[in-house]
């Protein structure tokens, strides 16, 4: 048995395979996200369409999904964070990074996927780009310190006003 494409360490036949074939439901949002990644690897575009939330299927482009699945060589999946999305939840998010090679270039698709449960089944709703961490390159200026702009005035009376 070969390991599952999703990186769970389990055999494909016991992990994502049954979810994709429909013989076992995804129990959590993360299970569905992992199965969707494996469906890209397996080029199972039908599953990708069926696992979309019914209210979000109207603008799904099957041909574009097929082209991406066909043109990419899927290299791995990293799950970064899962918020809610457990068996008793109705919604959840999964932040992940999918690595792939396309046209000779290695790329990464990073996303925070939103999932919802409807009639007992998990569906993919939408994905957004994660917010980059805020970075401060200099020390915070106190209100009563000299303004860093060089005016000679206190920060609160100058740029901090």
């Amino acid at each position: 048995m070969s390991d599952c494409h999703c990186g769970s360490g389990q055999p494909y036949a016991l992990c994502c395979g049954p979810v994709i074939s429909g013989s076992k439901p995804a129990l959590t949002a993360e299970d569905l996200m992992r199965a969707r990644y494996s469906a890209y690897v397996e080029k199972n575009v039908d599953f990708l369409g069926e696992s979309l939330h019914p209210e979000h299927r109207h603008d799904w482009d099957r041909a574009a999904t097929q082209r991406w699945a066909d043109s990419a060589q899927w290299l791995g999946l990293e799950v970064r964070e899962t918020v809610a999305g457990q068996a008793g939840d109705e919604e959840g998010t999964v932040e992940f990074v999918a690595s792939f090679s396309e046209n000779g270039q290695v790329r990464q698709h990073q996303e925070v996927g939103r999932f919802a449960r409807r009639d007992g089944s998990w569906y993919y709703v939408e994905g957004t780009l994660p917010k980059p961490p805020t970075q401060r390159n200099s020390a915070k200026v106190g209100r009563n310190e000299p303004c860093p702009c060089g005016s000679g005035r206190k920060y609160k009376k100058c740029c901090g006003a």
Side-chain angles (χ1 to χ4, degrees):
M1 272 188 190
S2 62
D3 283 347
C4 191
H5 308 295
C6 77
S8 67
Q10 298 179 44
Y12 176 77
L14 300 176
C15 187
C16 292
V19 175
I20 292 171
S21 71
S23 64
K24 174 183 132 184
L27 300 178
T28 66
E30 185 177 327
D31 288 346
L32 180 60
M33 189 278 309
R34 287 179 177 279
R36 285 180 55 83
Y37 172 82
S38 291
Y40 273 104
V41 176
E42 295 286 322
K43 299 173 181 21
N44 189 327
V45 177
D46 291 335
F47 175 78
L48 294 168
E50 292 162 6
S51 62
L52 284 173
H53 195 281
E55 293 173 11
H56 294 267
R57 292 180 186 165
H58 64 279
D59 62 350
W60 178 58
D61 187 339
R62 186 186 200 292
T65 303
Q66 184 73 58
R67 279 192 304 276
W68 193 26
D70 289 341
S71 67
Q73 178 185 0
W74 300 93
L75 304 174
L77 177 69
E78 174 191 353
V79 175
R80 295 225 168 136
E81 181 180 30
T82 301
V83 177
Q86 300 304 307
D89 296 326
E90 295 299 315
E91 292 187 350
T93 61
V94 181
E95 182 178 346
F96 65 92
V97 178
S99 299
F100 62 99
S101 175
E102 190 172 38
N103 299 324
Q105 287 189 308
V106 174
R107 300 175 184 210
Q108 291 186 325
H109 174 78
Q110 185 172 357
E111 171 181 314
V112 177
R114 188 164 68 91
F115 297 82
R117 201 160 56 150
R118 180 175 178 178
D119 300 326
S121 296
W122 281 103
Y123 293 96
Y124 174 76
V125 177
E126 65 182 346
T128 57
L129 296 176
K131 295 178 182 170
T134 303
Q135 295 181 354
R136 182 177 301 241
N137 295 331
S138 60
K140 185 175 178 182
V141 179
R143 291 176 31 93
N144 289 315
E145 293 181 25
C147 191
C149 75
S151 67
R153 298 187 303 181
K154 289 183 178 181
Y155 178 70
K156 69 181 178 184
K157 296 285 186 179
C158 189
C159 294

